[in-house]
Amino acid sequence: MKRTALWALLLLITGVLTSCETQEETVSKLVPYIDEDGTYGFRDTATNKLVVPCQWYAARSFSDGLAAVMGENERWGFIDETGRLVAPCQWIEVYDFHEGMAAVREDDNYGFIDKTGQLVIPYEWPIVWSFSDGLAAARKDGRNCFIDKTGQVVVTSEHRFFQGLHEGMAVVTAGGIEDMKYGFIDKTAQLVIPCQWSYAESFSDGLAYVQDENGMYGYVDKTGQTTIPCQWQLAGDFKDGLAYVMDTVPRFGFICKTGEVVIPCKWEWASDFSDGLAPVKNDDGMHGFIDKTGQVVIPCKYRIAESFVDGQALVEDRDGEYYIDTNGRRIECVRDGDAASDGPLVSAIDEMNRQLSESDNVTTGSLKLLGDKVIYTILVDDSENDLSSLNGNRAAFKHELSLGDADKALWQKAADAGKCISLFYKGTALGGSATILFSNEEVKEVLSR
């Protein structure tokens, strides 16, 4: 990485000022957000403001206008989009709302509540699945059936349910543990695809993956025809037109609905595409994201990475768990009382972080906008560096550290500008971190020198 990369940020700031005028308005939607203390709230994707305070032990995405949240009692309830608790945190387990109903568990049995939190189907079913096409699959006392939204049994099946209704079909099984086979029924409980497979999963995007007697996976359509031969050791659902598969090496890649390999099997692990991106794991055990051409667009630098949901993905690195957007930027919420963020400055910070993340140096830096302050941090993983002089010493800007070029450039600019508010060092014998805290205006001046 060259020192001139920083000067490119100046052009970026100018470009952002122009492009902001023509940028399309972001659709407003509430999505989960994790605070630094590990509690959950919800942010508005349009304003990036924290709408529902971080007070929940766990939270899931909104579904059908309500979101499941876990309280400090480790029980689940539901909130609406204003953050109002419409169903108290009283259940051991809950499903997301579908078609106005959500399954909730009390002791060993499930019932269903409506969107007001009222129990409309009693706790009498040991196993249930979510509603689809007005019906929910349920099982009790060896009886497999579809129930309606009043809890009445509509039709029973002689086959044992394995999955609920998805795209009008449900996975069922026949036989015992030793000779169990999988097939599919429709919503009338008619067997549409015979129980002939060693394993099967629900339909997604018109296809379902199945396992043959040799333990290999392929895909069938809703008529039961094999559209993609059973030749893979593992397979996943089709999402965004692609499905992950694992070959015999074993390595993961992606196929399209014709069965053609469109992204070669070279990854140690991969998961579903969403928002045009899929998480992958490289040979070093680090996670990143690829696009549909197979190009790495978010570097493999995370310990854990999940698929994108509503434009954000949960990742984990040395800083803990947090969400990133589809550009790989860490999502930071604006809270009430925070100063309004400066768009061009945020863009410059994002670009700097992108450059720093691509550095091969063992020491990396990061910039973070927090209210009306900007924090610049370097992480030093080199025990040979004498960092003791960094503690509160502005002269430490001149200290020789094993930094990448971009880090050195910003570090030196900060020293030359003399605009450091405070400097801290906290580390171990193996290294540590040095942090500079700037105001927005000060960091602009540093970047523009």
Side-chain angles (χ1 to χ4, degrees), residues 255-278:
I255 60 174
C256 64
K257 294 178 75 173
T258 66
E260 179 186 358
V261 176
V262 294
I263 297 176
C265 295
K266 67 175 185 177
W267 300 101
E268 188 175 317
W269 171 87
S271 192
D272 298 329
F273 267 93
S274 180
D275 292 326
L277 300 176

Side-chain angles (χ1 to χ4, degrees), residues 283-296:
D283 289 339
D284 295 325
M286 302 303 289
H287 296 74
F289 293 84
I290 60 173
D291 63 17
K292 288 187 176 181
T293 70
Q295 296 298 308
V296 177

Side-chain angles (χ1 to χ4, degrees), residues 238-415:
F238 274 92
K239 299 290 178 68
D240 279 4
L242 298 178
Y244 67 80
V245 291
M246 187 181 79
D247 63 14
T248 56
V249 173
R251 285 292 184 268
F252 283 78
F254 289 84
I255 60 174
C256 64
K257 294 178 75 173
T258 66
E260 179 186 358
V261 176
V262 294
I263 297 176
C265 295
K266 67 175 185 177
W267 300 101
E268 188 175 317
W269 171 87
S271 192
D272 298 329
F273 267 93
S274 180
D275 292 326
L277 300 176
V280 293
K281 182 166 72 170
N282 64 17
D283 289 339
D284 295 325
M286 302 303 289
H287 296 74
F289 293 84
I290 60 173
D291 63 17
K292 288 187 176 181
T293 70
Q295 296 298 308
V296 177
V297 293
I298 299 177
C300 293
K301 59 180 181 178
Y302 304 107
R303 296 170 182 166
I304 297 173
E306 298 182 0
S307 294
F308 276 89
V309 178
D310 295 330
Q312 64 177 26
L314 186 65
V315 297
E316 180 184 320
D317 61 14
R318 69 174 76 187
D319 294 326
E321 288 187 341
Y322 55 90
Y323 287 104
I324 60 172
D325 63 20
T326 53
N327 293 311
R329 298 174 299 206
R330 181 168 181 163
I331 296 173
E332 299 287 351
C333 269
V334 178
R335 292 169 169 78
D336 289 341
D338 284 352
S341 62
D342 188 317
L345 177 62
V346 173
S347 297
I349 288 173
D350 290 339
E351 175 60 18
M352 183 65 185
N353 284 329
R354 185 191 67 76
Q355 295 174 13
L356 291 169
S357 69
E358 294 175 356
S359 172
D360 293 331
N361 199 282
V362 294
T363 303
T364 59
S366 67
L367 287 150
K368 177 181 175 183
L369 184 67
L370 184 62
D372 63 347
K373 297 290 188 289
V374 175
I375 299 174
Y376 173 63
T377 303
I378 56 167
L379 299 174
V380 184
D381 298 321
D382 187 349
S383 59
E384 295 182 1
N385 284 315
D386 178 13
L387 298 176
S388 60
S389 63
L390 284 178
N391 190 21
N393 185 357
R394 292 190 181 187
F397 282 122
K398 307 288 188 181
H399 196 78
E400 290 298 324
L401 299 175
S402 55
L403 300 174
D405 288 342
D407 282 292
K408 287 180 181 177
L410 186 58
W411 197 250
Q412 189 61 49
K413 283 179 179 292

